[in-house]
């Protein structure tokens, strides 16, 4: 069975696993009073990086600069903004508890930033972040139950 034969859900499960090992995300400063949500996957397997762009139909792929001639060439898929949140939400059910908890911490940081006026936000996004905070409480309760 090839990747193209998989259902969309199976493809997202596969990519969530790759992202668990090779990806990163966060809510970072982009200059004075500017912040962005960003997710990135970097690895030497260009075909896997291309799958992120193909499945989620967004983001951009870049060739990273090699630090040494003998290093492998790496490729990155990067996505920012609300689309990054949407993609993370699709992979979230397949993340481990720790990675899911970090996602909810990032969303909380984003929510606080919005509340403090650090970020211009529309009403639909405010509702969406409140929904994500409620989801965080469910994840945290299940995480606490594992301790």
């Amino acid at each position: 069975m090839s990747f193209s034969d998989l259902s969309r859900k199976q493809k997202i499960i596969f990519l969530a696993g790759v992202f668990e090992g090779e990806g990163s995300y966060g809510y970072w400063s982009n200059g004075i009073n500017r912040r962005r949500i960003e997710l990135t996957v970097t690895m030497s397997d260009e075909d896997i990086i291309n799958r992120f762009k193909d499945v989620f139909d967004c983001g951009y792929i870049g060739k990273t600069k090699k630090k040494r001639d003998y290093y492998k060439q790496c490729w990155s898929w990067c996505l920012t903004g609300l689309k990054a949140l949407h993609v993370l939400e699709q992979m979230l059910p397949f993340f481990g508890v720790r990675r899911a908890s970090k996602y909810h911490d990032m969303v909380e940081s984003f929510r606080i930033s919005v509340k403090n006026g650090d970020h211009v936000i529309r009403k639909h996004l405010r509702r969406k972040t409140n929904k994500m905070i409620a989801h965080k409480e469910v994840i945290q309760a299940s995480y606490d139950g594992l301790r």
Side-chain angles (χ1 to χ4, degrees):
M1 177 179 266
S2 70
F3 188 77
S4 60
D5 295 330
L6 299 176
S7 69
R8 178 165 173 77
K9 182 178 179 180
Q10 290 171 322
K11 289 176 182 178
I12 290 172
I13 291 170
F14 173 83
L15 293 175
V18 172
F19 192 85
E20 276 274 349
E22 305 293 335
S24 65
Y25 59 87
Y27 183 52
W28 294 300
S29 176
N30 196 23
I32 299 171
N33 291 330
R34 297 189 66 144
R35 297 179 61 83
R36 73 186 184 289
I37 295 170
E38 180 179 297
L39 62 103
T40 305
V41 180
T42 302
M43 62 189 316
S44 60
D45 299 316
E46 183 183 9
D47 61 320
I48 303 296
I49 291 297
N50 285 326
R51 289 178 182 177
F52 280 91
K53 184 162 174 74
D54 293 343
V55 169
F56 296 114
D57 196 30
C58 55
Y60 65 90
I61 295 175
K63 189 176 178 180
T64 63
K65 183 177 178 182
K66 288 171 54 173
K67 294 180 182 174
R68 303 264 192 259
D69 288 339
Y70 53 87
Y71 283 10
K72 287 183 180 180
Q73 179 62 60
C74 287
W75 304 87
S76 290
W77 174 73
C78 184
L79 182 60
T80 61
L82 295 179
K83 287 184 180 181
L85 274 179
H86 179 67
V87 168
L88 282 170
E89 286 173 356
Q90 292 177 63
M91 292 190 291
L92 185 63
F94 312 109
F95 284 168
V97 173
R98 185 190 63 81
R99 176 82 57 159
S101 177
K102 295 291 182 187
Y103 165 82
H104 292 296
D105 291 345
M106 178 196 69
V107 170
E108 176 66 13
S109 177
F110 176 68
R111 190 180 70 76
I112 290 169
S113 178
V114 168
K115 186 178 179 181
N116 291 338
D118 298 338
H119 203 87
V120 176
I121 187 166
R122 295 184 178 103
K123 287 180 184 178
H124 74 278
L125 179 57
R126 185 172 289 117
R127 285 193 302 269
K128 189 171 194 162
T129 56
N130 288 338
K131 179 181 172 188
M132 287 185 274
I133 296 304
H135 186 62
K136 174 189 176 184
E137 293 165 1
V138 171
I139 293 289
Q140 188 63 47
S142 65
Y143 181 71
D144 292 342
L146 294 174
R147 289 184 182 176

